[in-house]
Amino acid sequence: MTQQTARTTAATAIDRMRLGPQPGEVIDRSATFRFRWNGREYPAHPGDTIVSALAAAGERVFSRSYKYHRPRGVLTASYLDPGAMVQVGDEPNVRGAHRLVEAGMDVRSQNTWPSLRFDVKAVNGLAGRFLSTGFYYKTFIKPERLWPAYEKVLQRFVHAGQVSPDTPHGYYDKRYAHPDVLVAGGGPAGLSAAVAAARAGAQVMLVEEEHQLGGHLRWGGEADLALLSELTGLVAATPGIEVLTDSVVLGRYDDNWVAVVQRNLPGVGERLIKARAKTIVAAPGLIERPYVFDGNDTPGVMLSTAVRRLINLHAVRPGRRAVVLSANADGDTAAADLARVGVDVARVVDARTGGDVVRALGRKNLRAVELGDGSTVECDLLVTATGWTAPTSLLNMSGDKPVYDPRAARFVPDPSQLPDDMLPAGGIAGDGTVAQLVDHADAVGRKAARRAAGTAAGWHATVPTRRDTDKADTVQDRDDEVEVPELEMAAHPEMFRAATHGIVDFSEDVSSKDLHAAVKEGYGSVELVKRYTTATMGPPQGKLETVNTVAIVAEATGSTVAQTGTTTWRPPYAPVTLGALAGRIFEPVRYSPMQPWHEAHSAAPLVAGQWIRPDHYGDPDAEVRAVREGVGIIDVTPIGKLDLRGPDVAKLLNLLYVNKWSKLGIGRVRYGVMCADDGVVMDDGVTGRLGAEHYLMSTTSSGAAAVWEWVENWLQTEHPEWDVHVTPVTTAYASINVAGPRSRELVGRLAEGVDLDPETFGYMQVRTGTVAGVEDCVLWRIGFTGELSYELHVPAAHGLHVWEALAEAGSDLGVAAFGVEAQRILRLEKGHLIVGQDTDGLTQAYSAGLDWAIKLDKDDFVGKPELAWQAQHADYPKLVGLQPVDPAVVPPEASQIITETCSQGRSINPETCSQGRSINTPGSRIAGRITSSRHSPTLGRAICLGQLEPALATPGTEVTVRLPDGRDITARVTEHLAAVDPEGHRQHVVSGDASDDSHRHSRGAARSPIAPAEPRDEVHGWEVSARRSTAELTISDATPLAKIAVRAPVGGAMQQALGVPFGRMARDRDGALVIGSGPGEWLVLAPAGTGASTRQRLEGAADGLDEFATVTDLTHGRALMRLCGARSADLLAKVCGVDLSDAVTPEGAAFRTSVARLVTDVVRDDSGTAPGYLLHCERSSGQYLFDALLDAGAEFGIEIDGFSTAGI
Amino acid sequence: MMLLPCPWCGPRNVSEFRYAGEAGTRPEPGQATPEQWRRYLYFHTNPAGWVRESWYHGAGCRRYFPLERHTVSNETRATGESR
């Protein structure tokens, strides 16, 4: 056939089954376009679904069934249609009876091979033995060695389309919503409820699965269409209703947390809406259920609703000669519709008077129907109208268990079990005329609005973000006495299966015979039959199959439908793409201020929690040698840093650390170990005393967040009477460790006002001063690497400058940057433990080699009772140094140390052997493990740390280490943990002239963590973007503003002086912005460059007060950005779960929450009429947050605006 | 996603909070016997019903607060001594 003739055939084909104009049709006949179906071109009109366009052209088979590969056609003509799953381009499993066809669309059938017409897998129909009931559990299981072969064969039979690995990643979207009333279902009841709720003052979200509102009114007669236009007109005219079509409520979770998926958005795969609905109106309507008989899946057998949709919505003739099996009014209407459009209705079989069908004849197309009266009628269309299923999913997810009503022949909800915030309406609530259902829903809508108002009033009373003037207006008419009229249940014949067996689950190819077989095999409960046969487990998830399944199990077990009960409806209500569930991925990352240098110097990135750190710069061994022989610098910014202030800090340190802190002098530093209450080592680090009541605590990088929470826990819950303020300053400082015998020389070239002479600035001491022109740096003399070293903590905006200054000033000293890997080698050579690596969740402090630090003579410290116990019962594992006898073998970390069992062949003494388990070799057991291991470039041999049971921990003992490959090697326990310089001489090396250079350095421009957009400028010493945008929505970096944190008692004199409570923001007399960012916690924003003066002003205000108040400059510790524009709240709603409405967070609201999964402070600061927000977060995540907001704002046309110098 | 009634911030999604365990009183370490101490460390009542818990609002006010929660229905209620 030539292409020309193919087109002509298609053109005549559309004439063949397309009807003349219908009153409610949704197609636009003024336009025609073409698309491809299995490579052939077909015409379509806008508004056609894939299936309606193909059906109009006379196509009847759209897929092959799952197991038996039987041809399948239209069954429901809706989203649920199990026979209409197709592949569209790269996208598999598209619902062909729902998806609107588009010009040029490439649609293919799936689950067919080699073609829809000649499917070789249809042979499965003849090979029933292998696909019998429960075949998943019986076939292709043994012998196990053949599984890879089975898998390859089975993959070809999978009931799905194809995903190409080359498919580009789609953009999936997500947003939060906070409707007062969420109406699930946009049929007459849903529309009526939505209008009533909105008129009662509620913000309504109306969700409809189809492309248009109206439900069954759309395919009804004249009166239905009139009501449709009236109700949709009201929805459009009533303010406060957000209409989402082609969207579906997937599930209801705790506290009415509702997942809604919105499909077919331009440029977006799907969008997941996370809605917190104060009340839900569930109005999903009723779903027509298929009838079970022999041949009920033959193309041409369809439901009455399918026929009415095809005729009335898409003007498609469903067949030429029809038989209608009708048990209700909808069946009768379908027969009337068919007759009206000229289909020859050969017979209407009335089920209410005992009429029935026996079997459908035909394979790819219906030929004839055998009826209960023994006659056979030739036809190509059999319409069944045998009853309804109430999709009560949302109600069941709220606690309702449906009960079977035999008179109505369907499961109905029991509203008495429902919580107040879930209200059913429409068909699931009962039967009646459309007018009765609309009236009922109107009352439900009003009731829902009132209950929502009551909930809102309760919530509003507890949020601190509203103004005092907002408080009164929430109390509305909370009268709950809305009369909701009762709906009757209409009588309906119980019809599930004819005298013959047929398909029950069309998606999973489960027949009524399979269900009987399952019951015969002993699966009596419907929940077990479901799992054994997979009935109801296909894409429609029981909406078509459940009631028939239950009825047939009841029939097979000889019980009633009510006794059998139903399976459980669970989320999701409708299938959803994995992309929508995954949504956009928010993974906050943190960078140090020196990141641009690391990138420019080819650092290999190491992902350490959220931090991206340099692992090495090419050769870690060379980096180690540079530190041992000269000097190296490492970026240790991620080290946790807590600023501690107050008269009781020493008490706190004494409680949390195992060692003593009362006598730490100003300018001194001490190493400390923290344990949990069970004596297990939790964290370690050094803490220095900067002033009489001012300390700086450091923690491990990975433990920073947990230690902060830990400290707060003890202060807030156990010792609220202590005056201590804790401020995390991890990213307020860029931290640089300068290590090596020439480190004093290097630091001396840049430090001003700090005497580095070893006599005055000794080991374990701290000083503050200027480095490379940057004031307020903190210098500790400590040594994780075992070398003479200085750790410099530099105000973060100048971190890169100081780093570059060190690299330049030390070039003649051979200064090298070293990364985390070199640091790990250096510390292992020195025998310093890493908490979490050389210890685990069971390692108490004595097992970590920390005996010297633990002071059991202190009155109390966290972990003391358990450590006292451990000390008394000395039989605990020990941390030891180990060296393999063969210096070239580095046993991988976590290699087991094994030993002979204590008493081979005889009973094992549980006292001494309980910890050991046999590994592989009989007679051996685990006696410890390697916790750290590396090749030491300094010693030229393998070195290790390990946990070892005490009997083997004596220096000189030889132990067996089992490598992961099964080989055993011998290692010797060393005398010290340190392999290099155990005496600690290197720490006290005297080298070079520490102060050969006394000229003043320039500190350079301060830098924001957010790379400034071009063009750039310098303002008040900060490098900023000078870009100007006039876009409707802009984002700008406001990091240069001075940011001063104030801590003082809630409701005290300082709060009075600041004039702002927690949850609110205001501008003070001096033009600063005062934010009540936490209980007893304020952040004051002032113009760039005024940090020192603002701090002094606030300190002055605090000084005169008779309460404990502290002031800390956090200018370098926070990133700050401003969103401005009418759509800024819409942007934020995509990344922030807090209600951004005026009712909850009006102008001046201040709150901390998660924004794009990052803890962020948000301040509503409108400018004029345009809403605006200030957002601030930890400095290190500034670029991440800025990028996340830009991404979320793309759909609103967001642009970057440069730094504004015009006030705050 | 449950809502938790934060006594400072109002109702917020549970994902903003960290569960800090069943609320218990730390015995006086100097006086407690090892048995009492370990009962405090490791034994929890874990009832099917109302339980008094401690929560930390890490992504909000950063306060620890007590809360009563029903372990079967996940209903929550403030303890009265709200903060």
Side-chain angles (χ1 to χ4, degrees):
Chain A
M1 201 190 299
T2 65
Q3 268 198 333
Q4 189 56 49
T5 27
R7 262 194 218 114
T8 321
T9 318
T12 48
I14 194 166
D15 292 331
R16 209 164 64 211
M17 299 308 265
R18 185 74 83 181
L19 298 163
Q22 302 296 313
E25 70 181 19
V26 294
I27 53 170
D28 174 7
R29 288 170 189 266
S30 68
T32 304
F33 55 79
R34 291 177 170 274
F35 72 106
R36 283 194 308 283
W37 166 242
N38 286 334
R40 215 181 126 183
E41 284 210 333
Y42 287 79
H45 296 303
D48 260 324
T49 66
I50 292 168
V51 159
S52 76
L54 292 173
E59 293 294 336
R60 293 202 112 185
V61 179
F62 304 112
S63 68
R64 291 278 181 161
S65 74
Y66 177 37
K67 278 195 286 190
Y68 306 121
H69 285 253
R70 291 162 61 91
R72 289 280 165 81
V74 167
L75 178 69
T76 71
S78 68
Y79 187 87
L80 293 176
D81 206 322
M85 301 256 276
V86 295
Q87 172 110 17
V88 175
D90 283 337
E91 188 186 354
N93 302 328
V94 171
R95 273 60 182 181
H98 173 84
R99 177 68 61 88
L100 299 179
V101 67
E102 290 164 22
M105 216 180 216
D106 179 29
V107 187
R108 296 181 173 273
S109 52
Q110 52 186 43
N111 200 29
T112 55
W113 180 64
S115 80
L116 187 59
R117 280 165 202 273
F118 307 103
D119 186 333
V120 297
K121 286 175 285 186
V123 75
N124 285 356
L126 308 171
R129 188 176 95 74
F130 295 108
L131 299 172
S132 62
T133 320
F135 82 98
Y136 298 93
Y137 307 106
K138 295 174 181 166
T139 320
F140 308 119
I141 302 295
K142 285 183 178 172
E144 208 173 326
R145 69 190 159 77
L146 281 184
W147 174 246
Y150 292 152
E151 203 176 17
K152 279 206 181 75
V153 175
L154 289 173
Q155 268 169 357
R156 303 211 74 154
F157 287 79
V158 167
H159 185 45
Q162 288 176 341
V163 183
S164 159
D166 304 326
T167 303
H169 279 284
Y171 186 90
Y172 289 85
D173 203 18
K174 156 161 100 175
R175 77 171 168 103
Y176 297 88
H178 303 267
D180 293 321
V181 177
L182 185 142
V183 180
L191 297 176
S192 168
V195 170
R199 282 178 170 173
Q203 288 294 317
V204 178
M205 178 178 274
L206 173 61
V207 185
E208 166 55 43
E209 186 167 20
E210 307 241 348
H211 301 282
Q212 291 94 16
L213 294 174
H216 66 82
L217 296 179
R218 293 161 56 230
W219 52 86
E222 217 172 291
D224 285 342
L225 292 175
L227 180 59
L228 171 67
S229 104
E230 183 195 331
L231 288 172
T232 51
L234 281 175
V235 167
T238 310
I241 305 178
E242 181 181 6
V243 178
L244 303 174
T245 52
D246 198 9
S247 303
V248 63
V249 177
L250 297 178
R252 182 270 183 197
Y253 305 87
D254 282 335
D255 296 312
N256 271 0
W257 177 252
V258 182
V260 180
V261 71
Q262 202 177 355
R263 307 170 183 138
N264 278 0
L265 290 161
V268 175
E270 284 183 335
R271 170 186 280 164
L272 185 66
I273 301 172
K274 300 177 172 186
R276 176 75 69 186
K278 295 180 192 77
T279 53
I280 298 174
V281 175
L286 295 176
I287 294 172
E288 190 166 28
R289 61 175 184 250
Y291 191 46
V292 181
F293 58 92
D294 188 5
N296 65 341
D297 63 336
T298 310
V301 178
M302 52 185 97
L303 304 181
S304 75
T305 39
V307 163
R308 296 180 62 200
R309 281 163 175 270
L310 285 177
I311 294 174
N312 295 303
L313 297 179
H314 296 112
V316 171
R317 185 195 309 273
R320 297 191 180 283
R321 186 175 154 86
V323 170
V324 179
L325 172 67
S326 175
N328 52 43
D330 290 79
D332 304 342
T333 311
D337 278 351
L338 286 167
R340 174 171 60 80
V341 299
V343 174
D344 173 13
V345 181
R347 188 83 67 90
V348 176
V349 182
D350 195 334
R352 289 156 292 199
T353 55
D356 206 348
V357 300
V358 176
R359 63 174 52 84
L361 305 171
R363 179 152 178 83
K364 282 184 196 157
N365 213 337
L366 182 66
R367 273 192 295 108
V369 180
E370 204 181 306
L371 299 176
D373 61 10
S375 61
T376 299
V377 183
E378 283 196 14
C379 61
D380 65 352
L381 178 65
L382 169 60
V383 183
T384 67
T386 55
W388 305 96
T389 298
T392 52
S393 316
L394 283 179
L395 308 184
N396 308 149
M397 292 169 205
S398 315
D400 174 64
K401 284 196 171 59
V403 290
Y404 184 67
D405 180 346
R407 206 173 139 269
R410 67 177 197 254
F411 284 90
V412 296
D414 175 5
S416 70
Q417 299 180 30
L418 286 175
D420 283 350
D421 53 15
M422 173 61 77
L423 301 163
I428 58 166
D431 295 317
T433 64
V434 177
Q436 284 171 324
L437 287 162
V438 164
D439 283 349
H440 173 267
D442 177 84
V444 168
R446 280 181 286 136
K447 193 173 183 125
R450 290 190 186 189
R451 286 187 176 170
T455 304
W459 289 357
H460 293 170
T462 62
V463 296
T465 45
R466 290 159 59 85
R467 283 166 293 220
D468 291 338
T469 48
D470 296 324
K471 298 289 183 201
D473 66 9
T474 55
V475 185
Q476 293 188 3
D477 177 14
R478 289 182 53 194
D479 175 17
D480 217 6
E481 299 302 303
V482 175
E483 275 295 317
V484 177
E486 285 287 307
L487 290 176
E488 302 274 314
M489 296 302 297
H492 193 287
E494 284 188 280
M495 292 192 67
F496 309 108
R497 182 172 80 83
T500 48
H501 282 289
I503 296 294
V504 176
D505 187 320
F506 291 74
S507 311
E508 297 283 301
D509 250 2
V510 179
S511 72
S512 50
K513 232 185 235 173
D514 294 331
L515 297 179
H516 274 266
V519 170
K520 212 170 277 174
E521 290 183 33
Y523 296 93
S525 141
V526 68
E527 293 281 11
L528 292 179
V529 171
K530 164 181 166 178
R531 284 156 183 80
Y532 188 57
T533 62
T534 70
T536 77
M537 288 168 70
Q541 286 286 291
K543 283 185 280 296
L544 298 175
E545 318 87 1
T546 291
V547 178
N548 286 340
T549 301
V550 172
I552 288 159
V553 169
E555 167 191 290
T557 54
S559 53
T560 66
V561 173
Q563 286 164 340
T564 304
T566 182
T567 54
T568 311
W569 300 92
R570 293 192 182 84
Y573 175 79
V576 56
T577 59
L578 291 174
L581 294 182
R584 283 181 308 148
I585 296 168
F586 295 121
E587 287 291 350
V589 291
R590 307 179 74 176
Y591 292 111
S592 107
M594 283 79 88
Q595 180 65 19
W597 193 95
H598 302 323
E599 280 172 20
H601 290 79
S602 322
L606 173 77
V607 179
Q610 294 180 340
W611 285 98
I612 312 297
R613 306 187 62 179
D615 195 21
H616 57 80
Y617 303 85
D619 183 355
D621 281 7
E623 293 166 20
V624 168
R625 282 192 292 271
V627 173
R628 292 273 181 245
E629 290 160 16
V631 60
I633 52 174
I634 179 172
D635 179 354
V636 290
T637 302
I639 281 181
K641 295 172 278 285
L642 296 175
D643 180 278
L644 308 174
R645 288 171 199 237
D648 296 320
V649 174
K651 286 185 197 166
L652 176 76
L653 298 175
N654 258 337
L655 176 68
L656 297 185
Y657 282 130
V658 299
N659 48 341
K660 290 186 182 171
W661 291 84
S662 325
K663 291 186 181 147
L664 185 74
I666 295 171
R668 295 278 166 173
V669 172
R670 187 167 288 170
Y671 172 79
V673 175
M674 279 185 199
C675 290
D677 249 341
D678 57 5
V680 169
V681 180
M682 205 181 111
D683 203 81
D684 69 346
V686 295
T687 291
R689 189 169 183 188
L690 304 179
E693 295 185 357
H694 186 194
Y695 294 69
L696 184 62
M697 173 190 279
S698 72
T699 75
T700 62
S701 306
S702 53
V707 170
W708 178 31
E709 291 187 10
W710 179 246
V711 174
E712 284 292 343
N713 193 359
W714 286 93
L715 284 174
Q716 289 182 29
T717 65
E718 293 288 332
H719 292 287
E721 77 282 6
W722 287 355
D723 282 339
V724 179
H725 285 155
V726 185
T727 311
V729 290
T730 301
T731 59
Y733 291 107
S735 302
I736 304 166
N737 194 290
V738 186
R742 305 194 76 172
S743 56
R744 181 178 292 121
E745 215 174 329
L746 175 54
V747 174
R749 292 180 184 181
L750 295 172
E752 294 164 42
V754 183
D755 184 358
L756 296 178
D757 186 287
E759 297 298 320
T760 47
F761 187 0
Y763 184 49
M764 296 307 269
Q765 294 195 16
V766 58
R767 298 289 180 272
T768 52
T770 301
V771 179
V774 178
E775 295 164 358
D776 299 324
C777 294
V778 181
L779 297 82
W780 339 72
R781 199 182 141 197
I782 53 173
F784 193 44
T785 58
E787 294 297 323
L788 171 68
S789 72
Y790 297 86
E791 198 149 296
L792 315 178
H793 301 289
V794 180
H798 301 291
L800 180 57
H801 162 73
V802 173
W803 177 272
E804 285 172 342
L806 284 165
E808 196 193 316
S811 58
D812 62 313
L813 304 175
V815 65
F818 64 108
V820 175
E821 176 59 19
Q823 189 195 37
R824 293 197 156 202
I825 297 171
L826 288 159
R827 71 89 203 177
L828 181 59
E829 290 180 339
K830 181 62 186 169
H832 283 150
L833 83 153
I834 295 180
V835 174
Q837 162 136 1
D838 300 302
T839 70
D840 63 18
L842 293 173
T843 309
Q844 293 181 311
Y846 283 105
S847 292
L850 296 165
D851 315 32
W852 58 273
I854 305 163
K855 303 298 177 202
L856 290 175
D857 58 339
K858 284 204 290 182
D859 286 345
D860 183 20
F861 64 86
V862 182
K864 182 183 167 187
E866 287 298 328
L867 292 180
W869 177 277
Q870 199 193 9
Q872 281 166 25
H873 303 77
D875 188 22
Y876 49 81
K878 288 193 158 61
L879 183 69
V880 296
L882 287 157
Q883 292 191 354
V885 172
D886 178 351
V889 180
V890 180
E893 287 166 355
S895 293
Q896 304 290 0
I897 297 166
I898 60 167
T899 187
E900 303 287 296
T901 42
C902 6
S903 43
Q904 246 176 329
R906 275 172 286 163
S907 71
I908 291 168
N909 177 359
E911 280 295 306
T912 50
C913 290
S914 59
Q915 287 174 336
R917 277 177 293 120
S918 153
I919 56 163
N920 304 330
T921 321
S924 65
R925 64 182 178 83
I926 299 169
R929 67 180 196 285
I930 301 293
T931 58
S932 295
S933 62
R934 286 288 188 281
H935 172 80
S936 160
T938 310
L939 300 175
R941 68 161 0 272
I943 55 169
C944 313
L945 288 178
Q947 287 280 345
L948 202 51
E949 60 182 42
L952 299 174
T954 323
T957 311
E958 292 199 340
V959 296
T960 305
V961 180
R962 179 152 299 169
L963 306 182
D965 64 9
R967 278 184 303 144
D968 286 346
I969 62 159
T970 302
R972 195 174 294 124
V973 178
T974 57
E975 192 175 345
H976 303 283
L977 294 175
V980 171
D981 187 31
E983 304 81 11
H985 293 318
R986 302 186 68 86
Q987 198 52 257
H988 301 284
V989 65
V990 180
S991 73
D993 182 354
S995 49
D996 68 333
D997 187 358
S998 53
H999 79 267
R1000 294 192 62 80
H1001 299 265
S1002 146
R1003 69 171 193 180
R1007 291 180 172 99
S1008 160
I1010 302 157
E1014 297 289 350
R1016 298 180 184 191
D1017 194 4
E1018 195 174 314
V1019 175
H1020 298 302
W1022 286 76
E1023 183 191 49
V1024 298
S1025 166
R1027 184 181 291 189
R1028 288 292 163 257
S1029 165
T1030 52
E1032 297 276 305
L1033 179 62
T1034 57
I1035 183 169
S1036 56
D1037 179 7
T1039 301
L1041 296 188
K1043 312 172 204 77
I1044 313 294
V1046 179
R1047 302 281 301 273
V1050 177
M1054 190 67 188
Q1055 174 166 335
Q1056 191 118 37
L1058 291 167
V1060 178
F1062 166 52
R1064 298 290 306 162
M1065 168 278 282
R1067 284 177 168 76
D1068 72 5
R1069 285 190 308 271
D1070 303 282
L1073 200 129
V1074 184
I1075 301 161
S1077 51
E1081 186 194 318
W1082 293 262
L1083 188 73
V1084 178
L1085 300 181
T1090 65
S1093 59
T1094 308
R1095 193 188 72 227
Q1096 282 157 15
R1097 178 163 66 83
L1098 292 164
E1099 278 170 349
D1103 268 348
L1105 305 173
D1106 186 23
E1107 64 183 24
F1108 176 55
T1110 57
V1111 179
T1112 313
D1113 188 344
L1114 281 182
T1115 300
H1116 292 270
R1118 315 282 293 171
L1120 180 68
M1121 52 207 86
R1122 182 189 287 278
L1123 278 175
C1124 195
R1127 304 299 300 274
S1128 51
D1130 294 329
L1131 183 164
L1132 264 192
K1134 294 177 70 177
V1135 287
C1136 167
V1138 165
D1139 188 346
L1140 300 166
S1141 68
D1142 285 344
V1144 178
T1145 47
E1147 153 73 3
F1151 52 97
R1152 195 178 291 137
T1153 186
S1154 170
V1155 175
R1157 276 190 61 203
L1158 182 74
V1159 178
T1160 304
D1161 284 80
V1162 184
V1163 179
R1164 169 102 178 257
D1165 183 28
D1166 298 354
S1167 68
T1169 52
Y1173 293 89
L1174 280 166
L1175 296 101
H1176 56 108
C1177 63
E1178 278 287 313
R1179 178 189 160 101
S1180 57
S1181 296
Q1183 185 75 56
Y1184 163 79
L1185 183 62
F1186 196 78
D1187 291 344
L1189 294 172
L1190 271 178
D1191 175 62
E1195 67 171 291
F1196 310 114
I1198 193 169
E1199 285 184 10
I1200 295 173
D1201 195 21
F1203 182 73
S1204 162
T1205 46
I1208 304 170
Chain B
M1 176 83 75
M2 284 172 68
L3 279 176
L4 285 194
C6 172
W8 294 97
C9 304
R12 291 285 186 95
N13 292 341
V14 69
S15 56
E16 293 193 356
F17 300 82
R18 184 171 64 77
Y19 175 60
E22 219 173 84
T25 311
R26 186 173 182 253
E28 188 53 51
Q31 284 145 30
T33 63
E35 214 233 319
Q36 285 169 327
W37 186 254
R38 285 174 178 171
R39 193 160 280 283
Y40 156 72
L41 282 183
Y42 302 117
F43 282 62
H44 300 279
T45 50
N46 195 25
W50 287 103
V51 62
R52 195 183 142 88
E53 299 174 335
S54 181
W55 287 80
Y56 177 64
H57 195 181
C61 58
R62 295 185 174 136
R63 294 279 118 186
Y64 286 83
F65 63 93
L67 181 80
E68 287 184 0
R69 183 176 66 93
H70 196 283
T71 56
V72 178
S73 66
N74 258 353
E75 274 177 276
T76 55
R77 63 188 185 201
T79 55
E81 45 177 323
S82 54
R83 292 165 180 183

